Short mmCIF file of all heavy atoms in Angstrom, two decimals:
data_model
loop_
_atom_site.label_atom_id
_atom_site.label_comp_id
_atom_site.label_asym_id
_atom_site.label_seq_id
_atom_site.Cartn_x
_atom_site.Cartn_y
_atom_site.Cartn_z
N MET A 1 -78.77 -78.67 -89.04
CA MET A 1 -77.88 -79.53 -89.81
C MET A 1 -77.36 -78.75 -91.02
O MET A 1 -78.12 -78.16 -91.78
CB MET A 1 -78.65 -80.77 -90.27
CG MET A 1 -77.81 -81.72 -91.09
SD MET A 1 -78.69 -83.23 -91.45
CE MET A 1 -78.96 -83.02 -93.17
N ALA A 2 -76.09 -78.76 -91.20
CA ALA A 2 -75.46 -78.05 -92.32
C ALA A 2 -75.61 -78.86 -93.61
O ALA A 2 -75.54 -80.08 -93.60
CB ALA A 2 -73.98 -77.82 -92.02
N LEU A 3 -75.83 -78.14 -94.69
CA LEU A 3 -75.92 -78.79 -95.99
C LEU A 3 -74.54 -79.20 -96.47
O LEU A 3 -73.58 -78.47 -96.29
CB LEU A 3 -76.53 -77.83 -97.01
CG LEU A 3 -77.98 -77.45 -96.82
CD1 LEU A 3 -78.36 -76.38 -97.83
CD2 LEU A 3 -78.88 -78.66 -96.98
N THR A 4 -74.49 -80.36 -97.08
CA THR A 4 -73.23 -80.80 -97.67
C THR A 4 -73.31 -80.66 -99.19
O THR A 4 -74.40 -80.57 -99.76
CB THR A 4 -72.94 -82.28 -97.33
OG1 THR A 4 -73.93 -83.09 -97.96
CG2 THR A 4 -72.93 -82.52 -95.83
N THR A 5 -72.17 -80.66 -99.80
CA THR A 5 -72.11 -80.63 -101.26
C THR A 5 -72.86 -81.82 -101.83
O THR A 5 -73.60 -81.69 -102.82
CB THR A 5 -70.64 -80.63 -101.73
OG1 THR A 5 -70.02 -79.45 -101.24
CG2 THR A 5 -70.53 -80.66 -103.24
N GLN A 6 -72.75 -82.98 -101.19
CA GLN A 6 -73.44 -84.18 -101.65
C GLN A 6 -74.95 -84.00 -101.58
O GLN A 6 -75.67 -84.44 -102.49
CB GLN A 6 -73.01 -85.41 -100.83
CG GLN A 6 -71.59 -85.84 -101.06
CD GLN A 6 -70.57 -85.02 -100.24
OE1 GLN A 6 -70.91 -84.18 -99.43
NE2 GLN A 6 -69.29 -85.26 -100.51
N ASP A 7 -75.46 -83.36 -100.51
CA ASP A 7 -76.89 -83.10 -100.40
C ASP A 7 -77.37 -82.22 -101.56
O ASP A 7 -78.41 -82.49 -102.17
CB ASP A 7 -77.22 -82.35 -99.09
CG ASP A 7 -76.96 -83.15 -97.84
OD1 ASP A 7 -77.03 -84.40 -97.87
OD2 ASP A 7 -76.71 -82.51 -96.80
N ILE A 8 -76.60 -81.19 -101.84
CA ILE A 8 -76.97 -80.24 -102.89
C ILE A 8 -76.91 -80.91 -104.26
O ILE A 8 -77.81 -80.74 -105.08
CB ILE A 8 -76.09 -78.99 -102.80
CG1 ILE A 8 -76.36 -78.28 -101.46
CG2 ILE A 8 -76.31 -78.06 -103.98
CD1 ILE A 8 -75.34 -77.25 -101.06
N HIS A 9 -75.86 -81.69 -104.50
CA HIS A 9 -75.74 -82.40 -105.78
C HIS A 9 -76.89 -83.38 -105.96
O HIS A 9 -77.46 -83.48 -107.05
CB HIS A 9 -74.41 -83.14 -105.86
CG HIS A 9 -73.24 -82.25 -106.10
ND1 HIS A 9 -72.02 -82.74 -106.49
CD2 HIS A 9 -73.08 -80.91 -106.01
CE1 HIS A 9 -71.16 -81.75 -106.63
NE2 HIS A 9 -71.79 -80.62 -106.33
N ALA A 10 -77.24 -84.10 -104.92
CA ALA A 10 -78.33 -85.08 -105.00
C ALA A 10 -79.65 -84.37 -105.30
O ALA A 10 -80.45 -84.86 -106.11
CB ALA A 10 -78.43 -85.87 -103.70
N THR A 11 -79.86 -83.24 -104.68
CA THR A 11 -81.09 -82.47 -104.93
C THR A 11 -81.12 -81.96 -106.36
O THR A 11 -82.15 -82.04 -107.04
CB THR A 11 -81.21 -81.32 -103.92
OG1 THR A 11 -81.24 -81.87 -102.59
CG2 THR A 11 -82.45 -80.49 -104.16
N ALA A 12 -79.99 -81.45 -106.84
CA ALA A 12 -79.91 -80.97 -108.22
C ALA A 12 -80.16 -82.12 -109.20
O ALA A 12 -80.88 -81.95 -110.19
CB ALA A 12 -78.55 -80.33 -108.49
N ASP A 13 -79.61 -83.29 -108.91
CA ASP A 13 -79.84 -84.47 -109.77
C ASP A 13 -81.32 -84.82 -109.80
O ASP A 13 -81.87 -85.10 -110.87
CB ASP A 13 -79.05 -85.67 -109.24
CG ASP A 13 -77.56 -85.58 -109.51
OD1 ASP A 13 -77.15 -84.84 -110.43
OD2 ASP A 13 -76.80 -86.25 -108.78
N THR A 14 -81.96 -84.83 -108.65
CA THR A 14 -83.38 -85.17 -108.56
C THR A 14 -84.22 -84.18 -109.35
O THR A 14 -85.12 -84.58 -110.10
CB THR A 14 -83.84 -85.20 -107.08
OG1 THR A 14 -83.08 -86.20 -106.40
CG2 THR A 14 -85.32 -85.51 -106.97
N LEU A 15 -83.94 -82.90 -109.18
CA LEU A 15 -84.68 -81.88 -109.93
C LEU A 15 -84.50 -82.08 -111.43
O LEU A 15 -85.48 -82.04 -112.19
CB LEU A 15 -84.24 -80.48 -109.51
CG LEU A 15 -84.66 -80.03 -108.12
CD1 LEU A 15 -83.97 -78.72 -107.74
CD2 LEU A 15 -86.17 -79.88 -108.03
N ALA A 16 -83.27 -82.30 -111.85
CA ALA A 16 -82.99 -82.48 -113.28
C ALA A 16 -83.73 -83.70 -113.82
O ALA A 16 -84.29 -83.66 -114.92
CB ALA A 16 -81.49 -82.60 -113.52
N GLU A 17 -83.76 -84.78 -113.05
CA GLU A 17 -84.47 -86.00 -113.46
C GLU A 17 -85.96 -85.76 -113.59
O GLU A 17 -86.64 -86.41 -114.38
CB GLU A 17 -84.20 -87.13 -112.47
CG GLU A 17 -82.79 -87.68 -112.54
CD GLU A 17 -82.43 -88.58 -111.37
OE1 GLU A 17 -83.30 -88.85 -110.51
OE2 GLU A 17 -81.27 -89.01 -111.31
N GLN A 18 -86.48 -84.82 -112.80
CA GLN A 18 -87.91 -84.48 -112.83
C GLN A 18 -88.22 -83.46 -113.93
O GLN A 18 -89.36 -83.06 -114.09
CB GLN A 18 -88.35 -83.91 -111.48
CG GLN A 18 -88.28 -84.90 -110.35
CD GLN A 18 -88.53 -84.27 -108.99
OE1 GLN A 18 -88.55 -83.05 -108.84
NE2 GLN A 18 -88.71 -85.11 -107.98
N GLY A 19 -87.19 -83.04 -114.66
CA GLY A 19 -87.39 -82.08 -115.72
C GLY A 19 -87.41 -80.63 -115.25
O GLY A 19 -87.81 -79.74 -115.99
N VAL A 20 -86.98 -80.41 -114.01
CA VAL A 20 -86.93 -79.06 -113.45
C VAL A 20 -85.50 -78.57 -113.53
O VAL A 20 -84.57 -79.27 -113.10
CB VAL A 20 -87.39 -79.06 -111.96
CG1 VAL A 20 -87.25 -77.68 -111.35
CG2 VAL A 20 -88.81 -79.58 -111.84
N LYS A 21 -85.30 -77.39 -114.09
CA LYS A 21 -83.95 -76.83 -114.18
C LYS A 21 -83.47 -76.53 -112.76
O LYS A 21 -84.11 -75.77 -112.02
CB LYS A 21 -83.95 -75.55 -115.01
CG LYS A 21 -82.57 -74.99 -115.22
CD LYS A 21 -82.58 -73.80 -116.14
CE LYS A 21 -81.15 -73.29 -116.31
NZ LYS A 21 -81.11 -72.16 -117.24
N PRO A 22 -82.34 -77.13 -112.36
CA PRO A 22 -81.86 -76.95 -110.99
C PRO A 22 -81.16 -75.59 -110.78
O PRO A 22 -79.94 -75.51 -110.68
CB PRO A 22 -80.91 -78.12 -110.77
CG PRO A 22 -80.46 -78.50 -112.13
CD PRO A 22 -81.57 -78.13 -113.07
N THR A 23 -81.95 -74.53 -110.71
CA THR A 23 -81.41 -73.21 -110.41
C THR A 23 -81.11 -73.13 -108.92
O THR A 23 -81.56 -73.98 -108.14
CB THR A 23 -82.42 -72.12 -110.79
OG1 THR A 23 -83.60 -72.29 -109.97
CG2 THR A 23 -82.80 -72.17 -112.26
N LEU A 24 -80.40 -72.09 -108.52
CA LEU A 24 -80.12 -71.91 -107.09
C LEU A 24 -81.42 -71.83 -106.30
O LEU A 24 -81.55 -72.45 -105.24
CB LEU A 24 -79.30 -70.65 -106.86
CG LEU A 24 -77.91 -70.61 -107.48
CD1 LEU A 24 -77.22 -69.29 -107.13
CD2 LEU A 24 -77.06 -71.76 -107.02
N ALA A 25 -82.38 -71.07 -106.82
CA ALA A 25 -83.66 -70.91 -106.12
C ALA A 25 -84.42 -72.24 -106.03
O ALA A 25 -84.97 -72.56 -104.96
CB ALA A 25 -84.51 -69.86 -106.81
N GLU A 26 -84.44 -73.02 -107.12
CA GLU A 26 -85.15 -74.31 -107.11
C GLU A 26 -84.48 -75.29 -106.15
O GLU A 26 -85.17 -76.03 -105.43
CB GLU A 26 -85.23 -74.90 -108.52
CG GLU A 26 -86.20 -74.19 -109.43
CD GLU A 26 -87.66 -74.36 -109.02
OE1 GLU A 26 -88.01 -75.31 -108.29
OE2 GLU A 26 -88.46 -73.51 -109.44
N VAL A 27 -83.16 -75.32 -106.17
CA VAL A 27 -82.44 -76.23 -105.27
C VAL A 27 -82.69 -75.83 -103.82
O VAL A 27 -82.98 -76.68 -102.97
CB VAL A 27 -80.93 -76.26 -105.59
CG1 VAL A 27 -80.15 -77.01 -104.53
CG2 VAL A 27 -80.69 -76.87 -106.97
N ARG A 28 -82.62 -74.54 -103.54
CA ARG A 28 -82.85 -74.05 -102.18
C ARG A 28 -84.27 -74.39 -101.72
O ARG A 28 -84.48 -74.82 -100.59
CB ARG A 28 -82.61 -72.55 -102.11
CG ARG A 28 -82.68 -71.99 -100.72
CD ARG A 28 -82.24 -70.51 -100.74
NE ARG A 28 -82.06 -70.01 -99.41
CZ ARG A 28 -82.98 -69.32 -98.74
NH1 ARG A 28 -84.15 -69.05 -99.30
NH2 ARG A 28 -82.74 -68.89 -97.52
N LYS A 29 -85.23 -74.19 -102.61
CA LYS A 29 -86.62 -74.51 -102.29
C LYS A 29 -86.78 -76.00 -102.00
O LYS A 29 -87.42 -76.38 -101.01
CB LYS A 29 -87.52 -74.09 -103.45
CG LYS A 29 -89.00 -74.27 -103.22
CD LYS A 29 -89.78 -73.60 -104.33
CE LYS A 29 -90.41 -74.64 -105.22
NZ LYS A 29 -91.21 -74.06 -106.30
N ALA A 30 -86.19 -76.84 -102.83
CA ALA A 30 -86.29 -78.29 -102.65
C ALA A 30 -85.61 -78.75 -101.35
O ALA A 30 -86.06 -79.70 -100.72
CB ALA A 30 -85.68 -79.02 -103.84
N LEU A 31 -84.55 -78.05 -100.98
CA LEU A 31 -83.83 -78.39 -99.75
C LEU A 31 -84.55 -77.86 -98.51
O LEU A 31 -84.24 -78.27 -97.39
CB LEU A 31 -82.41 -77.82 -99.78
CG LEU A 31 -81.44 -78.49 -100.74
CD1 LEU A 31 -80.20 -77.63 -100.92
CD2 LEU A 31 -81.06 -79.88 -100.23
N GLY A 32 -85.44 -76.92 -98.71
CA GLY A 32 -86.14 -76.32 -97.57
C GLY A 32 -85.37 -75.19 -96.94
O GLY A 32 -85.62 -74.81 -95.80
N GLY A 33 -84.40 -74.64 -97.65
CA GLY A 33 -83.61 -73.53 -97.13
C GLY A 33 -82.14 -73.75 -97.40
O GLY A 33 -81.75 -74.66 -98.13
N GLY A 34 -81.34 -72.91 -96.82
CA GLY A 34 -79.90 -73.00 -96.98
C GLY A 34 -79.31 -71.70 -97.50
O GLY A 34 -80.02 -70.86 -98.05
#
């Protein structure tokens, strides 16, 4: 399944809400790849 911009934005929002800086590496880790 291809990642969408919405998937990535939602993941970045979730990380930010958790107090985690949504870097490319953190977002990729949270998404499980990409």
Side-chain angles (χ1 to χ4, degrees):
M1 179 174 110
L3 293 173
T4 66
T5 298
Q6 291 82 5
D7 294 332
I8 296 165
H9 285 194
T11 300
D13 286 338
T14 299
L15 289 171
E17 289 167 3
Q18 294 172 348
V20 176
K21 184 175 181 178
T23 63
L24 297 181
E26 287 293 339
V27 170
R28 186 173 191 263
K29 184 170 109 179
L31 289 166

